[in-house]
């Protein structure tokens, strides 16, 4: 099988979920490290880097304003938002990162640029767990955006698509969403974060 250097040329393989004795196994990473031969995005399309103080089990990076960076970090124990920047740790260690965006064209385009930056090696050295795409409106996402989500997600180690949360619109950021997609997402990410080396997960 020939491996393309551009993860967005072909549609990503369908995610396969494996359950053994009711224990969910997070989806395997298709791409776990930057790829040789990827072209860096224009400087204007890159996320900045920021030296972060303190520690976190996971750094949540929004690819654009309003991505849901803080909301997502609130869902995950030990997670902290970065303010739409790649984290650089003061102790020189390699941070675990989750990229998030909204499911509109702007959000997905910025996520694609951020993933291109990471895949080309132009981002700081981070352990990218995957991309979480949060619905930008109630109801079913239009097919064109669903298709584009699949294309963009093909450039990430893993992809989670998460539905709209009406309670967040009204300022309720404390209650964990009950939707199955969120429960699975939280389980996946928690498992990956607690693994010694999540990039080798199968």
């Amino acid at each position: 099988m020939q491996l393309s250097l551009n993860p967005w040329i072909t549609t990503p393989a369908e995610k396969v979920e494996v359950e053994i004795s009711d224990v969910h196994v997070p989806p395997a990473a298709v791409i776990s490290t930057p790829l040789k031969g990827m072209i860096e995005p224009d400087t204007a399309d890159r996320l900045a880097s920021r030296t972060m103080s303190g520690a976190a089990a996971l750094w949540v990076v929004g690819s654009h304003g309003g991505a849901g960076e803080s909301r997502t970090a609130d869902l995950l124990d030990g997670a902290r938002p970065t303010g739409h920047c790649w984290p650089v740790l003061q102790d020189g260690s390699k941070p675990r990162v989750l990229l998030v965006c909204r499911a509109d064209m702007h959000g997905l385009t910025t996520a694609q640029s951020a993933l291109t930056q990471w895949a080309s090696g132009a981002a700081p050295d981070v352990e990218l767990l995957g991309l979480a795409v949060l619905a930008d409106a109630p109801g079913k996402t239009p097919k064109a955006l669903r298709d584009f989500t699949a294309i963009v997600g093909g450039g990430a180690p893993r992809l989670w698509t998460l539905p709209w949360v009406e309670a967040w619109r009204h300022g309720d950021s404390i209650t964990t969403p009950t939707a199955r997609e969120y429960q699975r997402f939280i389980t996946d990410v928690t498992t990956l974060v607690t693994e010694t080396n999540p990039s080798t997960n199968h």
Side-chain angles (χ1 to χ4, degrees):
M1 180 176 70
Q2 184 177 4
L3 176 64
S4 170
L5 293 179
N6 187 337
W8 292 293
I9 288 178
T10 57
T11 302
E14 182 179 354
K15 181 176 71 175
V16 177
E17 295 177 354
V18 179
E19 300 217 6
I20 301 175
S21 302
D22 296 328
V23 176
H24 174 65
V25 178
V30 177
I31 301 170
S32 59
T33 58
L35 304 172
K36 293 180 179 180
M38 284 292 292
I39 299 175
E40 298 177 9
D42 293 338
T43 302
D45 295 327
R46 300 180 191 179
L47 289 177
S49 302
R50 177 182 297 166
T51 300
M52 310 301 294
S53 60
L58 177 70
W59 299 94
V60 181
V61 178
S63 63
H64 60 97
E69 181 183 86
S70 296
R71 298 283 192 193
T72 304
D74 288 342
L75 297 175
L76 303 165
D77 289 340
R80 289 178 54 190
T82 66
H84 317 298
C85 294
W86 295 111
V88 177
L89 303 186
Q90 293 177 328
D91 63 4
S93 61
K94 188 175 182 177
R96 285 188 174 96
V97 165
L98 174 71
L99 187 67
V100 298
C101 74
R102 288 288 177 180
D104 58 12
M105 187 58 68
H106 170 69
L108 292 167
T109 300
T110 62
Q112 188 175 43
S113 294
L115 289 169
T116 302
Q117 183 182 1
W118 168 76
S120 70
D125 188 19
V126 301
E127 184 162 20
L128 182 63
L129 298 188
L131 169 67
V133 179
L134 282 65
D136 66 314
K140 188 174 182 179
T141 302
K143 183 179 185 302
L145 290 176
R146 295 199 309 271
D147 291 346
F148 190 40
T149 297
I151 292 170
V152 173
R158 300 167 184 85
L159 171 66
W160 295 273
T161 55
L162 303 172
W164 176 258
V165 179
E166 184 64 25
W168 288 350
R169 176 183 279 182
H170 303 286
D172 181 4
S173 60
I174 299 175
T175 304
T176 301
T178 57
R180 183 176 184 271
E181 293 90 342
Y182 276 96
Q183 298 302 318
R184 180 56 52 83
F185 165 70
I186 293 169
T187 299
D188 283 351
V189 175
T190 300
T191 300
L192 291 167
V193 166
T194 55
E195 287 182 349
T196 303
N197 187 5
S199 65
T200 61
N201 177 64
H202 294 288

